[in-house]
């Protein structure tokens, strides 16, 4: 009997692995539709209170949805316009960055050669400065601009999905009460309300902290005089959803550009100090205080989710990985049968 139980558990593990693999293949194949749908669900959770507030003020549903989506579209348009214009400016400035980078690489190459000669080491004739070609960088940026049509298509799908999701805001509880007996309906409605509240609190807090991080990043770089502060502010906002890795990249990118832009190390050090302090303050002090509690996700789970969703949906999958894992953990913690799995998703106790 014990042997059967062990075999049964082992079979369940293998079946779970196969199920995850099959779901991964489905998610990859349906990326064009599923990724905008997931983004639309998360954004709808954030925007739902505004739509319900407008409805409580007597504004018709159509007008409330139109106003909310119009505001969201305006924000996306402004962000896209800033990024597009900044990308054009970046391409125009590339020759200057190219020459400075070549000088830096040539100096480093000469220093390494002199050190190798002192140690009597063989040095190849490969010139690292020749490997840095302006044409390859320009081609990479230009190919990025070529995905603008894909961005517009994804945005349209997100707005379309949000329209239908928000149109049924506030009706799920009533549908549950009408579909199930009273003793089960009350429990299900209570669980749905708790999950909805906690997920919204997490997403709104994370978004507000990300906006604050992006704004402080933009202001810091603008005061120091670093080129393209708005672009780096948007990058900091987006990467703030990726813990640890995202904050590191958001600091290193403007730091690397400041090394090419300025002749001295004063400005790059100010960039490193200012942005590093911002990331630490926002992530470790402000965010926990605003949220009021800590999800305490396991670092290993975060790493695995970043790899998994990055494999499925690329960069946007990595951005969505932690919000999705946080949402799943909140759901599991509010369902009695799944609560042990939610506990296993916890990080080390403090």
């Amino acid at each position: 009997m014990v042997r059967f139980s062990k075999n049964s558990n082992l079979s369940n593990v293998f079946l779970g692995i196969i199920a995850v693999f099959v779901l991964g293949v489905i998610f990859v194949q349906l990326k064009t539709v599923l990724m905008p749908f997931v983004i639309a669900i998360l954004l709808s959770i954030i925007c739902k209170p505004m739509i319900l507030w407008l409805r409580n003020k007597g504004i018709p549903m159509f007008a409330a949805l139109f106003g909310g989506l119009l505001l969201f579209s305006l924000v996306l348009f402004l962000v896209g316009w800033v990024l597009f214009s900044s990308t054009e400016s970046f391409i125009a400035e590339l020759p200057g960055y190219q020459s400075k980078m070549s000088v830096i690489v040539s100096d480093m190459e000469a220093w390494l050669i002199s050190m190798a000669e002192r140690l009597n080491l063989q040095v190849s004739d490969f010139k690292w400065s020749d490997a840095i070609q302006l044409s390859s960088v320009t081609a990479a940026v230009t190919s990025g601009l070529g995905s603008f049509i894909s961005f517009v298509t994804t945005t349209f799908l997100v707005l379309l999905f949000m329209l239908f999701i928000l149109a049924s805001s506030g009706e799920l509880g009533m549908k549950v009460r009408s579909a199930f007996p009273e003793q089960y309906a009350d429990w299900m409605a209570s669980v749905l309300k708790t999950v909805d509240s906690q997920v919204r609190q997490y997403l709104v807090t994370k978004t507000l902290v990300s906006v604050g991080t992006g704004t402080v990043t933009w202001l810091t770089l603008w005061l120091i005089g670093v080129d393209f502060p708005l672009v780096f502010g948007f990058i900091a906002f987006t990467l703030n959803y990726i813990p640890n890795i995202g904050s590191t990249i958001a600091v290193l990118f403007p730091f690397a550009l400041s090394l090419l832009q300025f002749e001295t190390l004063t400005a790059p050090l100010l960039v490193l100090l200012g942005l590093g302090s911002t990331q630490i303050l926002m992530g470790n002090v402000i965010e926990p205080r605003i949220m009021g509690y800590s999800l305490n996700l396991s670092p290993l789970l975060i790493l695995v989710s970043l790899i998994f969703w990055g494999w499925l949906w690329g960069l946007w999958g990595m951005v969505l990985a932690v919000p999705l894992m946080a949402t799943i953990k909140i759901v599991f913690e509010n369902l009695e049968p799944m609560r042990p799995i939610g506990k296993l998703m916890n990080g080390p106790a403090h």
Side-chain angles (χ1 to χ4, degrees):
M1 191 71 178
V2 175
R3 182 179 302 174
F4 175 78
S5 177
K6 289 184 177 179
N7 293 335
S8 178
N9 291 336
L10 186 61
S11 299
N12 291 336
V13 171
F14 281 115
L15 287 175
I17 295 174
I18 294 173
V20 170
F21 177 76
V22 171
L23 285 175
V25 173
I26 294 175
F27 285 167
V28 170
Q29 296 299 321
L30 299 180
K31 171 185 175 181
T32 307
V33 176
L34 285 181
M35 187 175 70
F37 183 69
V38 171
I39 296 174
I41 291 176
L42 296 178
L43 291 177
S44 298
I45 293 175
I46 297 175
C47 297
K48 180 181 175 181
M50 180 183 68
I51 300 299
L52 294 179
W53 181 79
L54 292 175
R55 291 186 63 185
N56 291 333
K57 293 295 182 180
I59 298 177
M61 172 59 80
F62 173 79
L65 288 176
F66 180 77
L69 294 181
L70 181 63
L71 178 62
F72 182 72
S73 302
L74 179 61
V75 172
L76 284 181
F77 171 77
L78 292 176
V79 170
W81 176 75
V82 169
L83 293 178
F84 180 76
S85 60
S86 299
T87 303
E88 286 187 326
S89 302
F90 178 73
I91 294 176
E93 295 291 336
L94 271 178
Y97 298 141
Q98 166 75 18
S99 59
K100 291 181 180 179
M101 188 179 297
S102 298
V103 170
I104 293 175
V105 173
S106 298
D107 293 341
M108 185 178 299
E109 185 181 14
W111 180 79
L112 290 175
I113 291 175
S114 64
M115 290 295 296
E117 290 176 350
R118 291 180 183 179
L119 298 174
N120 295 322
L121 298 176
Q122 294 290 333
V123 181
S124 63
D125 295 331
F126 179 75
K127 299 291 185 182
W128 287 100
S129 56
D130 296 338
I132 303 174
Q133 296 294 331
L134 176 64
S135 57
S136 61
V137 179
T138 307
V141 176
T142 305
S143 64
L145 292 177
S147 61
F148 179 72
I149 296 178
S150 176
F151 171 77
V152 172
T153 304
T154 302
T155 303
F156 174 76
L157 288 176
V158 169
L159 293 176
L160 183 64
F161 289 142
M162 285 182 64
L163 180 65
F164 286 99
I165 294 173
L166 291 174
S168 58
S169 297
E171 298 179 358
L172 184 58
M174 293 185 293
K175 291 180 179 179
V176 169
R177 294 182 185 279
S178 62
F180 295 93
E182 184 177 355
Q183 62 270 26
Y184 297 111
D186 291 339
W187 172 79
M188 293 180 64
S190 175
V191 170
L192 289 173
K193 184 178 180 181
T194 302
V195 170
D196 183 66
S197 175
Q198 291 182 359
V199 171
R200 182 179 301 108
Q201 182 181 3
Y202 167 77
L203 292 176
V204 170
T205 301
K206 195 67 178 178
T207 301
L208 289 176
V209 172
S210 298
V211 170
T213 303
T215 303
V216 175
T217 298
W218 161 72
L219 184 60
T220 301
L221 297 177
W222 177 74
L223 291 175
I224 296 174
V226 180
D227 292 339
F228 318 114
L230 279 174
V231 174
F232 289 120
F234 177 76
I235 291 175
F237 162 77
T238 304
L239 294 180
N240 193 62
Y241 289 95
I242 306 176
N244 301 327
I245 300 175
S247 58
T248 302
I249 297 175
V251 174
L252 291 181
F253 274 11
F255 172 71
L257 182 67
S258 64
L259 288 175
L260 298 176
Q261 181 181 346
F262 298 98
E263 301 295 334
T264 64
L265 290 177
T266 304
L269 290 177
L270 288 176
V271 170
L272 196 61
L273 180 62
L275 299 190
S277 302
T278 298
Q279 294 290 343
I280 294 174
L281 181 65
M282 289 291 185
N284 298 324
V285 179
I286 295 180
E287 181 175 330
R289 289 193 176 185
I290 295 178
M291 190 174 296
Y293 67 95
S294 175
L295 284 174
N296 193 26
L297 281 171
S298 168
L300 179 60
L301 177 64
I302 292 176
L303 178 61
V304 171
S305 64
L306 288 174
I307 295 174
F308 179 74
W309 290 104
W311 166 63
L312 291 180
W313 293 343
L315 176 61
W316 284 111
M318 296 182 69
V319 173
L320 294 171
V322 176
L324 286 174
M325 286 297 102
T327 302
I328 293 172
K329 184 174 185 292
I330 291 172
V331 173
F332 283 176
E333 288 180 341
N334 284 275
L335 295 176
E336 187 65 34
M338 307 302 295
R339 194 164 295 167
I341 300 179
K343 298 293 183 182
L344 291 175
M345 297 172 71
N346 283 336
H350 298 289

